[in-house]
Amino acid sequence: MKVLLTSLSEGQEAVVVEIAPCGPPHEAGFWGGLRCRFGWGWRGENRVSRGAAKRLADLGILPGTRIKVVRRAPFGGPIEVEVGGSRFMIGRGLASRIIVEV
Amino acid sequence: MRWASAPDRGVGGRATPDLRVALAGQANVGKSVIFNQLTGLHQHIANWPGTTVDKAEGRLYYKGLLIDVVDLPGIYSLTHLSLEERISRDYIAKEKPDVVINVVDATALERHLIFTLQLIELGRPLVLVLNMMDLAEKYGIEINAEALEEELGVPVIATIATRGKGISRILDAAIELSRTSYTPKKIRYGEEVEKRLEMLESALKELDLPYPARWVALKLLEGDEEIRELVRVRSPGVIELTDELISELEHIHGHESSIIIANERACAANQIARRCMKIVKPRKPTLGDRFDEIATHPVLGYMLAAVMLAGIFFIVFGVGGAVASFFEEDLSELMREAWISSLGTAPSSEVGWSAAQSILFLIGLAIPYILPLYFLVFLLENWGYLARLSFLMDSLMHKAGVHGKAVIPMLLGFGCNVPACLATRVMDTWKERMIAILMTTLVPCSAVTVVVMGLVGRYLGISWVIGLYLFALLMAFALGSAASRILPGESVELIMEMPSYKAPSLKTILTMTWIRLREYIKIAAPLIVVIGALVKIMEIFGLLEPLSKILSPLTCGWLGLPEETGVLLIFGILRKELILTSLAALLGTLDFSQALTANQMITFSIVTILYIPCAATISALLKETGAKTTLTITAAEIGLAILVGGIASKLLLLLGIN
């Protein structure tokens, strides 16, 4: 079953399927969603959001990687994940773009 | 230690080094610990040309050789172009250090190998340093260093940097390597990628490129824009071929080409790690893991953070305040007497005294406040706690359009805004950095605290002070949030490693504190001295009174303050705590309640908090952001102070506070 990384509970494991260019509407917000889909807004915006996917790739978070949610920060904060023995925090907005297979 | 440090000739001095090595690695691998172990205090922090990224260089003598060490920025890859990554790869490819020392975290070998593979492909002789072997052992990870040497074709050294273990063997390996001829091992990728790589490589052979052909071929397939440009000017045909190959690859794999290459590299790293490493026992929850349960807990975590921050403030302001009063009062009086008795009170002597006073003030700020603050913050960072703080504060900081890392500069800002501005270098993008800088200049620093405590705290009570602080932070968030909407570019989300807790290395912390303190004085001193002398000259020529008159519609009319405050606010540009001492001098009494009403005290405090970054902060801003941004921030804050101060004064009147 494909779900968002943000919907996993603490301690749950999954495999990364892809890094979507935008988060779901309730995470991206109305304007964020529009900007993401149509590339509106200020310069460089789309390139930057692709940059996040590359950054994740540098850390070894790629399609096919096993990922485990260690904990979720309170108040909609970042998600701590474990990948290949090391731990990272990923901001909620970006985490909501990571689609995983449970 | 078996080597002696070099005599202080200054880095890049006349003597040419026998060996030049560069330290490369990701953040949190103990790279700076190794750098400090190697060079001690014989190091020098500057900026990489044209940037504000730190360039740390050092020099040492070892076995009769003079060795220069450059610490490259801590980066995660050489793939996508953040400034730090470009700096690192350009340095390795163009400056051609004799040996590159790649420091990796032994507890996360596989991930770090992804970066190591990229370094090997850049073609310089490489020494791989497996750091944190003690932690790896604790986690039940066994690494076969010989097998790893075989797989990568480079010497592998195991170290525990915090305890100084294995450091000299790094140097031995580097010297050894520099004396033999080195051919980098070719890392083989999957069939489809390999075939296309070879095609590109042979097409690139005739072009005169500063980088190895295979590395360029990989970068082209990854879609690296800088390398594309580099090749395009030499041969547009190769770019056409590249685009063809990329679309073939993307068709086969169904992903973007940069992801395909990243995947290939991750697979290669995985295979190497699997052959050289085994986990002998599963990772048991460590003490650090258990502590994390508290440190990141929704309730306990914030309580712990509050206790830690309160502790820092107590040490910095409680202990520091006592030391500061020695500098401000006793030492300053002694110096003043000595100055007058030897040089008299002629105008030129007075201007000279103002310069001396500025320097004295700077030391009086640096030693009691900045020194302990830096020490404590570096201690928390070294230990690993600051990452947890960023984790907790991320959602709050997002309200201002930055992520959790901005907590660190904000924290420093309470001591002094200058180190806070410098600390905004931790932010990932230009936009986030600008927002963080704007916010930190609004954080009430120790000098502002002196004014607020001396007026509002003394006559109206501590609850008003806390209220004003919260108000200042609210303004910082409001301005940050506004800036995040106005400034171009999307904010990068928080992606940060959660480091394991480590026993802090006192030597590293002390060195970092000292180096930063030195940098602070170097940045702040010149402008403070100049502006101090200027204000003194204005005073001598009687220019301050007329200026006060000119400002009076603003100070008296709109803000409802006494006319003299105009002069005080000008003094305050120099150093904000001068506002209080000058007020006392102007009134001839220390009882401020005679001259200022409650309403005026609050309004005056608000204006003091907001109205302008002080001279030292302005010089930090100039250095970090350039003249245009500095002017914009300064002008915006003066406008804000006038607007908010006036409104506050009228609101307070309505509330019945005169």
Side-chain angles (χ1 to χ4, degrees):
Chain A
M1 189 179 57
K2 281 183 191 172
V3 292
L4 299 177
L5 182 67
T6 42
S7 59
L8 297 187
S9 51
E10 291 185 2
Q12 209 175 346
E13 267 189 68
V15 175
V16 177
V17 177
E18 72 164 310
I19 320 291
C22 346
H26 64 276
E27 292 274 4
F30 179 71
W31 292 110
L34 275 187
R35 268 198 301 235
C36 181
R37 265 172 193 84
F38 301 105
W40 292 357
W42 302 93
R43 67 179 153 88
E45 209 149 306
N46 275 350
R47 215 177 52 217
V48 177
S49 47
R50 260 183 50 208
K54 278 194 189 171
R55 215 165 183 90
L56 289 173
D58 294 337
L59 298 174
I61 302 175
L62 288 153
T65 314
R66 281 201 82 75
I67 192 167
K68 179 179 158 191
V69 173
V70 179
R71 63 169 61 83
R72 306 153 61 96
F75 311 116
I79 291 187
E80 186 183 341
V81 296
E82 191 176 308
V83 176
S86 29
R87 293 183 173 183
F88 304 100
M89 42 189 137
I90 301 177
R92 188 62 65 104
L94 178 58
S96 73
R97 288 168 38 197
I98 301 176
I99 299 165
V100 294
E101 176 94 41
V102 191
Chain B
M1 291 289 123
R2 288 192 287 144
W3 62 88
S5 294
D8 214 350
R9 250 179 291 196
V11 173
R14 276 176 299 277
T16 37
D18 302 305
L19 193 66
R20 291 182 310 128
V21 300
L23 280 171
Q26 304 188 358
N28 298 315
V29 294
K31 195 161 62 74
S32 60
V33 179
I34 290 180
F35 180 72
N36 285 318
Q37 295 270 15
L38 286 175
T39 60
L41 284 176
H42 298 277
Q43 53 173 285
H44 163 90
I45 297 186
N47 288 346
W48 291 91
T51 69
T52 54
V53 178
D54 278 349
K55 178 182 190 181
E57 291 174 289
R59 144 171 298 193
L60 63 126
Y61 272 124
Y62 181 68
K63 292 189 174 167
L65 293 177
L66 183 58
I67 303 174
D68 268 2
V69 188
V70 172
D71 190 9
L72 296 174
I75 53 174
Y76 286 104
S77 90
L78 296 167
T79 321
H80 83 110
L81 286 182
S82 84
L83 203 51
E84 286 84 355
E85 283 150 4
R86 190 185 319 217
I87 288 168
S88 296
R89 88 177 186 197
D90 280 358
Y91 184 83
I92 295 170
K94 292 179 184 156
E95 300 286 320
K96 298 203 187 331
D98 297 315
V99 177
V100 176
I101 296 171
N102 176 211
V103 186
V104 303
D105 176 353
T107 64
L109 182 63
E110 183 181 330
R111 168 164 67 85
H112 286 269
L113 279 179
I114 297 177
F115 180 64
T116 306
L117 294 182
Q118 297 183 52
L119 280 179
I120 291 175
E121 280 162 349
L122 266 179
R124 297 308 301 162
L126 191 92
V127 174
L128 185 69
V129 174
L130 291 174
N131 194 24
M132 302 197 231
M133 284 304 281
D134 49 342
L135 259 181
E137 203 172 306
K138 214 189 230 154
Y139 289 168
I141 297 167
E142 251 175 31
I143 299 172
N144 182 344
E146 279 123 50
L148 198 57
E149 278 186 354
E150 187 68 24
E151 289 282 345
L152 297 171
V154 303
V156 174
I157 309 288
T159 63
I160 307 169
T162 47
R163 283 192 252 142
K165 280 194 184 164
I167 304 289
S168 57
R169 284 198 293 125
I170 300 175
L171 290 173
D172 289 332
I175 293 167
E176 177 72 36
L177 193 63
S178 71
R179 284 175 181 157
T180 51
S181 69
Y182 169 85
T183 18
K185 186 151 177 153
K186 191 165 151 191
I187 294 120
R188 290 196 64 86
Y189 296 106
E191 197 61 42
E192 277 118 20
V193 172
E194 199 61 46
K195 206 171 81 193
R196 286 168 182 83
L197 267 179
E198 272 156 27
M199 284 168 72
L200 266 181
E201 233 185 301
S202 58
L204 287 165
K205 275 272 155 61
E206 299 97 63
L207 306 181
D208 176 35
L209 291 161
Y211 305 101
R214 187 175 164 87
W215 185 81
V216 174
L218 261 168
K219 291 290 126 182
L220 285 176
L221 287 186
E222 271 177 287
D224 184 309
E225 279 171 38
E226 198 184 272
I227 299 297
R228 266 179 85 94
E229 227 14 75
L230 198 75
V231 174
R232 190 198 305 279
V233 291
R234 288 172 173 81
S235 158
V238 177
I239 297 297
E240 274 167 39
L241 175 66
T242 306
D243 288 338
E244 217 172 280
L245 296 175
I246 285 178
S247 65
E248 281 173 29
L249 271 179
E250 288 184 346
H251 184 74
I252 298 170
H253 288 265
H255 285 297
E256 213 178 292
S257 67
S258 64
I259 302 292
I260 300 169
I261 301 295
N263 226 331
E264 289 286 335
R265 234 184 239 125
C267 284
N270 176 274
Q271 279 169 6
I272 295 170
R274 253 197 288 175
R275 284 195 286 263
C276 306
M277 185 191 104
K278 61 176 181 238
I279 296 171
V280 277
K281 57 181 183 213
R283 180 175 168 174
K284 279 188 301 218
T286 56
L287 198 65
D289 291 337
R290 256 170 280 162
F291 182 73
D292 255 356
E293 293 293 320
I294 301 170
T296 57
H297 189 273
V299 181
L300 295 176
Y302 288 99
M303 280 165 64
L304 182 74
V307 169
M308 292 239 187
L309 297 190
I312 291 180
F313 285 122
F314 176 75
I315 295 173
V316 171
F317 289 107
V319 181
V323 183
S325 72
F326 164 75
F327 278 103
E328 267 156 37
E329 286 151 28
D330 308 335
L331 194 61
S332 168
E333 257 165 47
L334 272 176
M335 294 267 297
R336 173 77 183 150
E337 273 163 30
W339 190 280
I340 291 175
S341 65
S342 58
L343 294 167
T345 52
S348 56
S349 153
E350 286 293 302
V351 173
W353 167 245
S354 85
Q357 213 180 7
S358 301
I359 297 291
L360 202 62
F361 153 77
L362 208 62
I363 298 168
L365 190 66
I367 292 176
Y369 297 119
I370 316 270
L371 183 82
L373 192 66
Y374 264 149
F375 180 82
L376 292 170
V377 166
F378 286 140
L379 182 74
L380 289 185
E381 189 187 22
N382 217 270
W383 175 39
Y385 181 73
L386 280 189
R388 275 75 189 179
L389 197 62
S390 301
F391 182 74
L392 285 178
M393 304 301 263
D394 186 54
S395 64
L396 181 67
M397 300 310 285
H398 257 285
K399 304 262 185 296
V402 282
H403 59 56
K405 283 189 205 170
V407 168
I408 299 156
M410 295 280 282
L411 193 64
L412 284 167
F414 282 99
C416 175
N417 288 340
V418 174
C421 281
L422 305 183
T424 57
R425 291 172 189 164
V426 301
M427 307 308 293
D428 296 321
T429 63
W430 174 84
K431 177 180 176 178
E432 285 189 311
R433 183 135 195 255
M434 290 305 118
I435 298 171
I437 283 186
L438 184 64
M439 289 174 74
T440 51
T441 57
L442 289 173
V443 173
C445 67
S446 57
V448 170
T449 306
V450 170
V451 180
V452 176
M453 287 301 285
L455 284 176
V456 175
R458 189 157 147 213
Y459 296 102
L460 303 173
I462 195 77
S463 53
W464 275 99
V465 176
I466 294 171
L468 279 176
Y469 266 51
L470 290 178
F471 179 73
L473 288 179
L474 198 74
M475 292 307 300
F477 272 88
L479 237 65
S481 170
S484 78
R485 270 153 238 263
I486 296 166
L487 292 175
E490 190 192 46
S491 306
V492 164
E493 284 269 356
L494 180 73
I495 308 176
M496 191 176 167
E497 199 183 346
M498 195 67 121
S500 333
Y501 289 103
K502 291 186 255 314
S505 145
L506 193 65
K507 191 179 166 194
T508 308
I509 297 169
L510 284 176
T511 314
M512 279 165 82
T513 305
W514 167 242
I515 303 258
R516 290 293 167 195
L517 201 67
R518 213 166 57 180
E519 180 190 27
Y520 164 74
I521 293 192
K522 228 164 70 185
I523 289 179
L527 204 58
I528 285 198
V529 171
V530 170
I531 294 192
L534 264 179
V535 171
K536 196 74 196 174
I537 290 168
M538 281 168 78
E539 197 185 333
I540 291 168
F541 284 98
L543 290 173
L544 289 174
E545 303 267 302
L547 209 60
S548 236
K549 283 254 162 13
I550 297 169
L551 287 174
S552 74
L554 208 64
T555 46
C556 304
W558 168 246
L559 295 169
L561 298 171
E563 197 183 277
E564 297 83 18
T565 50
V567 182
L568 300 181
L569 290 174
I570 293 167
F571 278 130
I573 298 173
L574 182 55
R575 296 151 21 193
K576 287 198 172 174
E577 102 290 5
L578 268 187
I579 290 175
L580 202 67
T581 44
S582 314
L583 184 63
L586 224 57
L587 296 174
T589 168
L590 280 171
D591 187 8
F592 301 124
S593 60
Q594 285 179 4
L596 295 173
T597 65
N599 182 325
Q600 286 174 328
M601 283 184 191
I602 296 169
T603 310
F604 197 39
S605 297
I606 291 178
V607 173
T608 304
I609 292 172
L610 300 178
Y611 81 109
I612 194 171
C614 69
T617 311
I618 290 176
S619 34
L621 284 175
L622 274 173
K623 180 161 182 289
E624 297 298 304
T625 67
K628 205 172 122 201
T629 315
T630 308
L631 266 177
T632 315
I633 291 180
T634 309
E637 287 180 6
I638 293 176
L640 183 78
I642 293 170
L643 183 73
V644 174
I647 292 172
S649 151
K650 307 226 156 21
L651 272 180
L652 288 167
L653 268 182
L654 280 181
L655 290 170
I657 300 168
N658 284 311

